Amino acid sequence: MKIICIGRNYTEHIEELANERPEEPVVFIKPDSAILPKEQDFYIPDFSKDVHYEVEVLVKIKKVGKHISEKFAHNYYDEIGLGIDFTARDLQSKLKEKGLPWEKAKGFDGAAVIGEWLPKTSFKDLNNINFSLLKNEREVQKGNTGLMLWKIDELVSYVSQFFMLKKGDVIFTGTPAGVGRIEANDYLSGVLEGRELFHLKVK
């Protein structure tokens, strides 16, 4: 399986990092080795002194698809989740300055947290899902899928124009404003529509 991530999909997050607003989705890939095993602590890697949390709504692909029309995109997923795209911001900044790819800053071991999955039928409107991240029991990020520049079905369709989607693939749909640095002993938990879908400790 592959992890397909969308960058710059919330206006306020674009502004907080002083990035340009893209004309089309920004796409990058994390390897499956980036998935943090269930119930395991997250260890800050030695090569970074500025790892940031980025909470995101996730979509799990349920069947093979390519060149998917937006109007049929809903047929390719049944589950919605929540996760974290951990980012070595100091390393990413250096790579961006040189015009180099971000993989080392985004795809390192443990950099993808995938929480519990929920059936999409449990949501009245996929374009109105509230979610948040708590650090040490204090809310640090809050978002709603209605604020996405590109909605879930648009993303599934767009990504499938470049990559064949396969059963088990996961799409990280982008993070809202409020990203920030983690430190050892932080406790992170992710909430989707009032339900905690993951929690972890930082080492």
Side-chain angles (χ1 to χ4, degrees):
M1 58 87 71
K2 55 188 172 291
I3 303 167
I4 301 165
C5 302
I6 307 300
R8 305 180 190 176
N9 201 21
Y10 288 84
T11 299
E12 290 184 358
H13 174 59
I14 294 171
E15 293 172 350
E16 75 177 343
L17 294 185
N19 287 321
E20 291 183 10
R21 180 173 174 144
E23 296 181 359
E24 56 188 46
V26 174
V27 180
F28 59 94
I29 303 284
K30 287 179 184 270
D32 58 5
S33 56
I35 297 173
L36 184 70
K38 299 290 186 184
E39 307 302 323
Q40 183 170 306
D41 297 329
F42 174 79
Y43 286 81
I44 298 174
D46 293 337
F47 55 77
S48 177
K49 290 180 171 53
D50 192 25
V51 173
H52 284 203
Y53 53 76
E54 297 187 6
V55 71
E56 310 197 11
V57 170
L58 313 182
V59 178
K60 185 195 286 185
I61 300 300
K62 71 172 186 177
K63 62 180 180 179
V64 173
K66 187 170 176 62
H67 296 296
I68 300 167
S69 170
E70 184 181 331
K71 66 180 179 180
F72 296 124
H74 66 279
N75 294 321
Y76 288 82
Y77 61 93
D78 280 338
E79 295 176 283
I80 301 295
L82 194 68
I84 297 178
D85 165 19
F86 277 123
T87 305
R89 191 73 70 203
D90 46 359
L91 180 55
Q92 184 191 34
S93 295
K94 291 178 182 177
L95 294 168
K96 286 171 65 176
E97 286 175 6
K98 297 177 181 178
L100 297 173
W102 303 345
E103 272 76 3
K104 288 190 289 186
K106 290 277 195 178
F108 57 88
D109 294 350
V113 175
I114 296 178
E116 181 183 347
W117 293 101
L118 300 175
K120 71 178 183 183
T121 52
S122 62
F123 302 98
K124 291 182 179 179
D125 183 359
L126 295 183
N127 293 325
N128 186 25
I129 300 175
N130 294 300
F131 61 101
S132 60
L133 181 73
L134 284 74
K135 184 174 80 165
N136 304 323
E137 300 184 354
R138 182 178 68 86
E139 185 176 86
V140 289
Q141 276 191 282
K142 182 178 182 179
N144 182 286
T145 54
L147 298 175
M148 289 179 173
L149 297 178
W150 292 278
K151 305 300 191 285
I152 291 174
D153 286 352
E154 291 177 274
L155 293 175
V156 171
S157 175
Y158 181 82
V159 168
S160 76
Q161 310 307 311
F162 302 91
F163 309 107
M164 179 184 290
L165 297 177
K166 294 186 176 183
K167 182 177 181 180
D169 286 351
V170 175
I171 299 177
F172 277 60
T173 61
T175 194
V179 301
R181 181 178 178 178
I182 56 169
E183 296 181 355
N185 299 315
D186 279 344
Y187 181 81
L188 304 176
S189 56
V191 178
L192 189 75
E193 287 293 344
R195 180 169 177 172
E196 182 182 287
L197 297 190
F198 68 78
H199 61 265
L200 61 95
K201 192 163 187 179
V202 178
K203 297 285 191 176

